Amino acid sequence: MLLVSQIREDFQRCLKGLEKRNFPNAETTLNKVLDLDRARKDTQTQRDKIQAESNSLSRQIGGLMKEGKREEANAIKEKTSEIKGQIKDLEEDYNQIEISLRELLYTIPNIPHSSVKAGKSAEDNEIILEKGGKPVLGASKLPHWELIKKYDIIDFDLGAKITGAGFPVYKGKGARLQRALINFFLDEALAEGYMEVQPPILVNEDSGYGTGQLPDKEGQMYHANEDNLYLIPTAEVPITNLYRDMILSEEDFPIKNVGYTPCFRREAGSWGAHVRGLNRLHQFDKVEIVQITHPDRSYEVLEDMSSYVQGILEKLELPYRVLRLCGGDTGFTSALTYDMEVYSAAQERWLEVSSVSNFETYQANRLKLRFRGEDKKSQLAHSLNGSALALPRIVASILENNQTEDGIKMPKVLIPYLGFDIIN
RNA sequence: AGAGAGGUGGCCGAGUGGUUUAAGGCGCACGCCUGGAAAGCGUGUUGGCGGCAACGCCUCGAGGGUUCGAAUCCCUUCCUCUCUGCCA
């Protein structure tokens, strides 16, 4: 969430930023934050004053009791009982104000970076780069949902039987392709200096709040009721939360983690056209990169992460483009997001395969993720993450783009991982 | 899952209702001393919030409660260890 100090000291920038996102009633909302914060301070000042008085009286009673001056002590006791009610009232006021303030802040998204253009939807995103030629396929080209049946490598019906729609079963060379991609992505990240982690794929409520999935996207996560745990929608959640409630030292930077996990998304209400086959699933595999950085370096790091992801796409020989998301399409918690899309030649569509974002202090504030700099003072770090990469749409485009009459040719870079070079 | 024991600052560790306003030690930082170092001595050392400041409030796993006053008593909850059970 945003810092109140950000809103107070940089009101105009916050306001303009929210307007870029088409956030309704931005000015009223920001002013309400400032009002609540002022009320919070006033109430605290009053509460502290009375609390101090009460503490002092209690200490006096302690002293008198020790000296055996029971009557004097009892006289003071009466005074303190009066104050007690006042403290309780002020305490309740304070808590109420704090809750209202926090709940209000939860509803306000991150302020977009200055390079982010105003816009309402995906149509307003800027294409900043396009690379690789689109393959030309013959008239017999098939979309991936046909190809997977033809070669019997991914089975949606079986998945539906044992679990439900959107939970495919990968079989034979399909399963091996998954495993190869995961290993390839992890090895690439290791070579880039990321440390591999294997986090739990269920997380508690605190972690959900830490990275901002809660309360914003409650309905999008599967919830294990009995134990109040959430299935992760992305490895961003457990990996970033590793650093929750921490004060790092500056030498710890840069923190670079990579992890492979399955991801689970309920995708409530988002089914329809364009989501056939692998385009949208309830369970999918993803390798995620996360960095925690010094605020001065986070945008440099964002560019590094973006070009790193582009490098993988080039190695896989997939045509791709990079978008800078507009205000309206940028995720709630992000200040700047690049989306990478690969071209899927049979569907003749661009498919999003990665999203690389800088959250600045938005997550760090909730996470209480700080570091101590040269001046020994603690300040919030910046957090970033990106998919590197999400598997299903990569698989879709590999299958579609590389189909030939003899079968589906595998990208060269994967052959050592696969142990075969064609699916036929 | 059952029984028992625990959770105190960067770390170890004392602490069963009132100078604990968290002892003592280790570590770390700074200063004195020294030719330099070690030792010794001194000072400082959780985090958050409020206040121009002096200073104040909160913080002993977390959340409630009892009390004029809680690290200490009560309730709830999370976690760790030991034993038993179950199990890849």
Side-chain angles (χ1 to χ4, degrees):
Chain A
M1 59 184 168
L2 292 180
L3 294 146
V4 177
S5 59
Q6 249 173 305
I7 298 173
R8 193 172 41 230
E9 286 154 28
D10 236 347
F11 191 89
Q12 285 308 318
R13 196 179 76 83
C14 290
L15 183 58
K16 291 217 169 75
L18 292 180
E19 280 165 0
K20 275 203 258 185
R21 284 184 180 267
N22 300 298
F23 183 82
N25 307 318
E27 187 159 11
T28 321
T29 309
L30 293 181
N31 275 319
K32 193 155 181 215
V33 169
L34 296 182
D35 287 346
L36 279 169
D37 189 52
R38 263 190 296 270
R40 182 185 64 82
K41 286 183 186 179
D42 290 349
T43 312
Q44 188 187 336
T45 306
Q46 284 181 59
R47 184 200 66 186
D48 286 0
K49 210 173 127 192
I50 296 182
Q51 188 66 254
E53 197 183 334
S54 162
N55 287 347
S56 140
L57 290 173
S58 286
R59 255 172 264 139
Q60 283 180 42
I61 293 172
L64 292 169
M65 294 294 252
K66 218 164 206 182
E67 293 166 35
K69 296 177 182 168
R70 199 153 258 261
E71 278 154 44
E72 283 178 53
N74 282 335
I76 300 178
K77 263 194 204 184
E78 273 172 46
K79 230 198 277 183
T80 44
S81 341
E82 268 172 56
I83 293 180
K84 220 186 153 189
Q86 291 179 43
I87 293 176
K88 201 158 194 178
D89 290 349
L90 283 166
E91 191 71 33
E92 267 167 36
D93 289 353
Y94 183 86
N95 289 340
Q96 270 313 314
I97 293 168
E98 211 180 25
I99 289 166
S100 311
L101 179 58
R102 190 166 57 239
E103 281 176 356
L104 184 60
L105 286 169
Y106 279 155
T107 67
I108 304 173
N110 203 351
I111 303 304
H113 185 255
S114 59
S115 68
V116 173
K117 296 266 186 301
K120 282 185 181 149
S121 67
E123 278 146 45
D124 301 317
N125 294 337
E126 299 170 82
I127 300 165
I128 57 175
L129 181 90
E130 190 169 325
K131 227 169 171 178
K134 297 179 184 173
V136 183
L137 301 175
S140 60
K141 66 180 178 189
L142 295 172
H144 71 267
W145 51 86
E146 301 287 349
L147 292 167
I148 60 172
K149 279 188 191 157
K150 181 173 173 187
Y151 298 108
D152 195 24
I153 50 171
I154 302 176
D155 195 323
F156 278 89
D157 295 337
L158 269 183
K161 181 175 79 174
I162 62 168
T163 305
F167 291 91
V169 175
Y170 303 86
K171 302 196 296 188
K173 284 184 173 174
R176 290 166 70 186
L177 176 56
Q178 293 286 112
R179 191 151 53 86
L181 282 166
I182 292 163
N183 283 327
F184 169 63
F185 292 151
L186 286 172
D187 284 349
E188 288 291 308
L190 295 190
E192 188 72 13
Y194 288 89
M195 185 188 74
E196 185 174 350
V197 290
Q198 266 191 38
I201 58 177
L202 285 125
V203 293
N204 59 29
E205 227 177 334
D206 285 348
S207 296
Y209 279 98
T211 34
Q213 280 69 28
L214 294 174
D216 189 43
K217 291 178 186 154
E218 173 124 45
Q220 291 299 333
M221 286 192 288
Y222 288 96
H223 183 224
N225 239 343
E226 196 88 352
D227 299 290
N228 195 22
L229 295 173
Y230 294 87
L231 275 82
I232 57 169
T234 157
E236 162 195 346
V237 179
I239 296 177
T240 313
N241 271 283
L242 296 175
Y243 303 95
R244 168 152 54 84
D245 284 321
M246 275 196 183
I247 301 180
L248 303 164
S249 71
E250 213 169 325
E251 301 94 74
D252 296 330
F253 294 140
I255 289 175
K256 302 172 79 171
N257 287 168
V258 60
Y260 153 71
T261 67
C263 301
F264 303 89
R265 297 185 185 179
R266 295 187 61 228
E267 301 290 0
S270 68
W271 296 83
H274 288 319
V275 293
R276 286 192 70 175
L278 296 169
N279 290 351
R280 180 155 291 158
L281 301 172
H282 286 309
Q283 178 180 335
F284 63 96
D285 295 296
K286 182 158 63 67
V287 172
E288 182 82 2
I289 50 176
V290 171
Q291 290 210 37
I292 312 293
T293 74
H294 192 287
D296 294 347
R297 285 215 56 219
S298 65
Y299 279 96
E300 204 179 311
V301 165
L302 181 70
E303 295 303 320
D304 286 352
M305 289 169 76
S306 162
S307 36
Y308 166 70
V309 172
Q310 293 174 44
I312 306 178
L313 294 173
E314 280 167 34
K315 287 187 184 175
L316 289 170
E317 303 165 63
L318 293 169
Y320 70 90
R321 64 182 190 182
V322 181
L323 309 179
R324 186 192 287 118
L325 298 191
C326 72
D329 206 30
T330 299
F332 195 80
T333 53
S334 171
L336 175 56
T337 298
Y338 293 120
D339 269 10
M340 283 70 181
E341 298 184 332
V342 296
Y343 191 72
S344 207
Q347 297 182 70
E348 299 180 7
R349 284 181 61 208
W350 292 97
L351 302 176
E352 181 196 329
V353 292
S354 176
S355 214
V356 185
S357 305
N358 186 355
F359 303 96
E360 297 188 0
T361 58
Y362 194 90
Q363 288 184 330
N365 187 24
R366 288 199 198 181
L367 289 162
K368 298 197 186 72
L369 164 48
R370 290 158 292 176
F371 72 98
R372 222 182 282 284
E374 294 262 315
D375 57 356
K376 304 276 179 206
K377 278 195 170 178
S378 73
Q379 59 170 313
L380 294 171
H382 281 193
S383 64
L384 304 94
N385 67 48
S387 348
L389 290 154
L391 268 72
R393 294 175 192 162
I394 291 286
V395 170
S397 55
I398 287 176
L399 298 180
E400 292 186 14
N401 293 7
N402 300 334
Q403 57 185 302
T404 68
E405 303 214 334
D406 302 328
I408 301 164
K409 291 195 172 148
M410 292 294 105
K412 283 186 214 78
V413 75
L414 289 182
I415 293 170
Y417 289 93
L418 285 165
F420 58 87
D421 60 6
I422 193 162
I423 295 175
N424 53 15

